[in-house]
Amino acid sequence: MNGSAGSVGPMRVLVTGGSGLVGRAIEHVIKEESGAREEETWIFLSSKDANLMSAEETRAVFQKHRPTHVIHLAAMVGGLFRNMRQNLDFWRNNVFINDNVLQAAHEFDVVKVVSCLSTCIFPDKTTYPIDETMIHSGPPHETNFGYAYAKRMIDVQNRALFQQYGRRYTAVIPTNVFGPHDNFNIENGHVLPGLIHKTYLAKKEGKPLQVWGSGRALRQFIYSLDLARLFLWVLREYDEVEPIILSVGEEDEVSIKFAADAVVEALGFEGDVIFDTSKADGQFKKTASNAKLRKYLPDFEFTPFRAAIKETCDWFVANYDSARK
Ligand SMILES: NC(=O)c1ccc[n+]([C@@H]2O[C@H](COP(=O)([O-])OP(=O)(O)OC[C@H]3O[C@@H](n4cnc5c(N)ncnc54)[C@H](OP(=O)(O)O)[C@@H]3O)[C@@H](O)[C@H]2O)c1
């Protein structure tokens, strides 16, 4: 084991949010790609193991598993439209979860915590590309300010824990994640899984596909399995408290229309595609720089977008009955 992560002997890694999109991808990489090293123990939690909004339940689950390392993914997560309706819930629930997890990690002497921010927490009015130094440089987009401020406070807490106690807790900043085990709910989910589900239904019912918004908004998408592989690297090798953006390059930013076309092709949908411009586009773009990641890992290969979309669509079709939707 390289870096500071290895200084405590065998790692016991607790993954909060282990049953979600990103958690299941990390579990897959650990189990199927020999991601686990000898003597490492991995524990994947869901909300059934502990409600992390409760400080008591959080402490109890740390007491039970005594982790040396934590990957903190648990969060109230949702797409644009759910965020617009529930800013208060996104703020409070996420602030409670994050404070409980970081404080329990500190109290139980956890060596390293890698938490998860998101590129959608960056300032709305900004220069592009966005980089890691700009998280707090202005108000976030008004559609998701509750989620955004709650996530930003993770960085505040990490820096304060370092300043007061020398803790090296950090955070990663992924762009839009997609993959197997996503939430494919059309009303509350993110854009890609929602599109996949809508296209699936449009094909089945022989109806046109309605895409919300103009299709012009631009996004960088990261495949959950690529993100999982990068998470392992951050846990083991990345030694900074400052967060790091985990994203494909700026040149790989795509429009929602391009993404919709990829889904249409992957699912073999042959009907009409209609863009409903009465629905919000959200932030026009949030182009992020992956220069810091590339400085550390110049050769990391991301799965090509269309191939990752195809794998995700195939998974959704094969698991339609049990998928979250
Ligand atoms: N999806 C994206 O595009 C994206 C982009 C950037 C950053 N992120 C961040 O990545 C992380 C993981 O996101 P995801 O997409 O994997 O989310 P997800 O699929 O919605 O999973 C959320 C996870 O959090 C758990 N959870 C929620 N509330 C909880 C509570 N009160 N107590 C304990 N566990 C709770 C859920 O457990 P149950 O399964 O039991 O409900 C689930 O395991 C989050 O921090 C998110 O902010 C996601």
Side-chain angles (χ1 to χ4, degrees):
M1 175 71 52
N2 299 320
S4 67
S7 55
V8 288
M11 295 207 307
R12 289 179 60 75
V13 189
L14 187 72
V15 182
T16 73
S19 53
L21 163 67
V22 181
R24 296 292 293 257
I26 293 177
E27 191 175 21
H28 178 89
V29 169
I30 288 296
K31 290 189 176 150
E32 309 292 330
E33 298 182 8
S34 50
R37 296 182 181 173
E38 248 178 82
E39 293 189 47
E40 277 179 15
T41 310
W42 285 78
I43 304 131
F44 293 87
L45 295 183
S46 81
S47 63
K48 292 186 193 77
D49 300 295
N51 175 5
L52 300 174
M53 284 192 283
S54 148
E56 224 169 88
E57 288 191 35
T58 307
R59 252 185 244 115
V61 88
F62 273 71
Q63 176 72 47
K64 178 176 174 192
H65 295 291
R66 287 285 181 167
T68 59
H69 294 67
V70 171
I71 292 182
H72 172 39
L73 305 171
M76 180 178 177
V77 176
L80 170 66
F81 296 93
R82 187 173 183 213
N83 267 279
M84 284 163 71
R85 286 195 307 269
Q86 284 179 261
N87 268 298
L88 180 65
D89 297 337
F90 276 94
W91 160 256
R92 291 194 77 222
N93 296 350
N94 285 318
V95 160
F96 285 140
I97 291 174
N98 297 334
D99 182 61
N100 288 338
V101 169
L102 290 173
Q103 181 59 21
H106 172 54
E107 285 172 17
F108 284 87
D109 213 15
V110 168
V111 179
K112 184 160 177 178
V113 180
V114 183
S115 299
C116 205
L117 312 182
S118 166
T119 46
C120 66
I121 71 165
F122 277 94
D124 179 29
K125 298 200 171 37
T126 182
T127 52
Y128 294 101
I130 297 160
D131 70 40
E132 291 83 352
T133 65
M134 296 153 79
I135 298 176
H136 304 284
S137 309
H141 196 263
E142 61 178 9
T143 47
N144 69 340
F145 67 90
Y147 176 82
Y149 279 118
K151 284 284 183 190
R152 288 182 187 190
M153 293 310 117
I154 291 181
D155 179 57
V156 171
Q157 200 149 341
N158 283 345
R159 283 191 285 145
L161 278 162
F162 178 66
Q163 191 191 59
Q164 266 180 257
Y165 296 102
R167 293 279 182 216
R168 300 192 80 81
Y169 296 173
T170 192
V172 300
I173 313 176
T175 44
N176 298 256
V177 190
F178 70 99
H181 302 284
D182 207 340
N183 177 4
F184 292 86
N185 185 287
I186 291 171
E187 295 291 329
N188 295 328
H190 287 115
V191 55
L192 264 184
L195 262 175
I196 291 171
H197 192 178
K198 276 198 281 191
T199 310
Y200 175 90
L201 292 178
K203 183 179 171 188
K204 200 165 114 185
E205 294 163 5
K207 291 187 176 157
L209 167 63
Q210 296 261 359
V211 182
W212 291 350
S214 68
R216 284 196 296 268
L218 299 172
R219 296 290 180 265
Q220 281 154 305
F221 293 102
I222 182 165
Y223 189 36
S224 58
L225 294 176
D226 291 337
L227 179 59
R229 294 169 192 129
L230 290 170
F231 248 109
L232 294 192
W233 167 75
V234 171
L235 184 73
R236 290 170 173 148
E237 315 288 347
Y238 179 76
D239 208 25
E240 296 184 33
V241 173
E242 300 298 321
I244 182 165
I245 291 173
L246 302 181
S247 173
V248 298
E250 292 158 57
E251 65 286 0
D252 293 317
E253 187 168 48
V254 300
S255 69
I256 299 299
K257 179 173 185 319
F258 182 91
D261 287 345
V263 171
V264 161
E265 187 187 300
L267 287 173
F269 173 70
E270 287 171 352
D272 290 337
V273 181
I274 297 161
F275 290 88
D276 180 355
T277 48
S278 70
K279 292 272 201 311
D281 274 339
Q283 224 166 327
F284 174 64
K285 65 175 185 176
K286 14 189 170 178
T287 321
S289 162
N290 70 355
K292 185 174 185 180
L293 174 67
R294 281 303 183 202
K295 212 174 77 202
Y296 279 105
L297 294 180
D299 300 325
F300 182 82
E301 281 185 29
F302 288 94
T303 309
F305 181 66
R306 282 178 184 281
I309 287 284
K310 179 82 178 103
E311 285 181 22
T312 307
C313 288
D314 288 350
W315 182 90
F316 181 64
V317 173
N319 295 277
Y320 185 75
D321 289 338
S322 58
R324 268 192 293 167
K325 54 187 187 308

